[in-house]
Amino acid sequence: RLFIAREAVDRHLQVAGPLVEGDLGFGQKLALLPRVAAFYAIWYPKQWLPRIGGYRRLGRLAGHMRFVERSSRRLARTLFHKMIRYGAGLQNRQMLLFRGVDIGAELFAMAAVVCRTAMLLRTGKAHADEAVEMADTFCRMSRRRVADLFGGMRSNDDVEMYRTARRVLDGDYLWLEEGVVGLQDIAVPEPGELESRTATEPAGAGAAG
């Protein structure tokens, strides 16, 4: 997951990273603009252009491969738009990034399944027709997951979830534990107590326990 996340934004960081997260002065950033603009003037329109040539040789699975192609370009555009919106702060929006990672993983799995099935058909392997049926079912399910993930990248409650999670960690919702059987017997350390206890333990005490 981390590898896919890095690969998804690596090229953008190389090209435009210094503009959004570098320590360059205004004049230095201004000098970089022509090179950055030239790159995106070519790269961005390509993310809207369909592939020349089809996948008719894949038969029943051709539509799924076209979906992989279209969604790959859509993912590239979406991540680029998010980088423009959030700048260097995008790296802190991990739930958003990992939706993109999950989309990439789903598209990779679909492409691998289609290619494997096409090989079985091409080489005349036994049960190749049944493999097509299985591949078609898998890709249909994967396409629904991809659609849901794209929807989550467009509209989500990440900020509210983060805010609530911080309050849970701060102990604002301890009243929810009232009346839960067994919790009253658990000694919960006070804030800071666990850190001080760990700092005073002799080396190896944790492993021995």
Side-chain angles (χ1 to χ4, degrees), residues 8 12 27-28 31 41 56 59 75 77 94 97 100 103 106 122 126 128 142 147 150 161 174 179 187 205:
H12 297 295
Q28 293 172 303
R56 277 185 288 183
L75 178 60
R77 297 194 307 265
Q94 296 184 6
L97 283 175
I103 291 173
E106 291 284 354
R122 186 176 65 254
S142 188
F150 269 125
M161 291 174 62
L174 289 177

Side-chain angles (χ1 to χ4, degrees), residues 187-206:
V188 180
E190 294 295 328
E193 180 181 342
L194 185 59
E195 291 81 357
S196 61
R197 184 190 306 170
T198 304
T200 57
E201 283 183 352

Side-chain angles (χ1 to χ4, degrees), residues 159-203:
V159 174
E160 290 75 14
M161 291 174 62
Y162 176 79
R163 186 182 299 119
T164 302
R166 290 301 312 175
R167 294 191 63 185
V168 170
L169 293 175
D170 291 340
D172 291 348
Y173 295 105
L174 289 177
W175 55 269
L176 283 170
E177 300 175 6
E178 296 177 5
V180 178
V181 176
L183 280 182
Q184 62 270 23
D185 300 324
I186 300 175
V188 180
E190 294 295 328
E193 180 181 342
L194 185 59
E195 291 81 357
S196 61
R197 184 190 306 170
T198 304
T200 57
E201 283 183 352

Side-chain angles (χ1 to χ4, degrees), residues 2-195:
L2 292 174
F3 175 78
I4 295 176
R6 177 65 185 181
E7 287 299 302
V9 299
D10 186 62
R11 185 57 175 162
H12 297 295
L13 293 176
Q14 293 177 14
V15 174
L19 292 179
V20 296
E21 62 180 14
D23 298 326
L24 302 179
F26 177 77
Q28 293 172 303
K29 290 185 177 182
L30 194 62
L32 286 176
L33 278 179
R35 180 174 64 86
V36 174
F39 172 80
Y40 285 111
I42 298 174
W43 178 87
Y44 188 72
K46 286 183 177 180
Q47 310 314 313
W48 292 93
L49 299 176
R51 177 181 180 272
I52 298 177
Y55 299 98
R56 277 185 288 183
R57 66 185 184 279
L58 297 175
R60 181 176 173 180
L61 303 179
H64 297 312
M65 206 61 176
R66 283 191 288 269
F67 175 84
V68 170
E69 178 209 339
R70 294 194 307 270
S71 298
S72 296
R73 288 186 277 107
R74 181 183 176 186
L75 178 60
R77 297 194 307 265
T78 300
L79 289 174
F80 176 64
H81 297 159
K82 298 302 181 183
M83 288 184 65
I84 293 177
R85 178 177 179 180
Y86 298 114
L90 180 61
Q91 63 183 346
N92 298 323
R93 295 183 174 268
Q94 296 184 6
M95 295 180 69
L96 182 65
L97 283 175
F98 278 125
R99 288 189 187 93
V101 170
D102 288 340
I103 291 173
E106 291 284 354
L107 296 179
F108 169 78
M110 288 179 64
V113 165
V114 170
C115 291
R116 173 69 176 177
T117 306
M119 184 275 293
L120 295 178
L121 286 169
R122 186 176 65 254
T123 56
K125 298 293 184 181
H127 308 294
D129 291 337
E130 296 174 359
V132 172
E133 182 179 353
M134 293 290 292
D136 179 60
T137 301
F138 170 80
C139 288
R140 288 175 181 274
M141 296 170 63
S142 188
R143 289 173 70 155
R144 291 188 182 278
R145 290 191 291 269
V146 168
D148 290 341
L149 289 165
F150 269 125
M153 293 190 77
R154 182 178 62 254
S155 176
N156 56 69
D157 301 305
D158 293 350
V159 174
E160 290 75 14
M161 291 174 62
Y162 176 79
R163 186 182 299 119
T164 302
R166 290 301 312 175
R167 294 191 63 185
V168 170
L169 293 175
D170 291 340
D172 291 348
Y173 295 105
L174 289 177
W175 55 269
L176 283 170
E177 300 175 6
E178 296 177 5
V180 178
V181 176
L183 280 182
Q184 62 270 23
D185 300 324
I186 300 175
V188 180
E190 294 295 328
E193 180 181 342
L194 185 59
E195 291 81 357

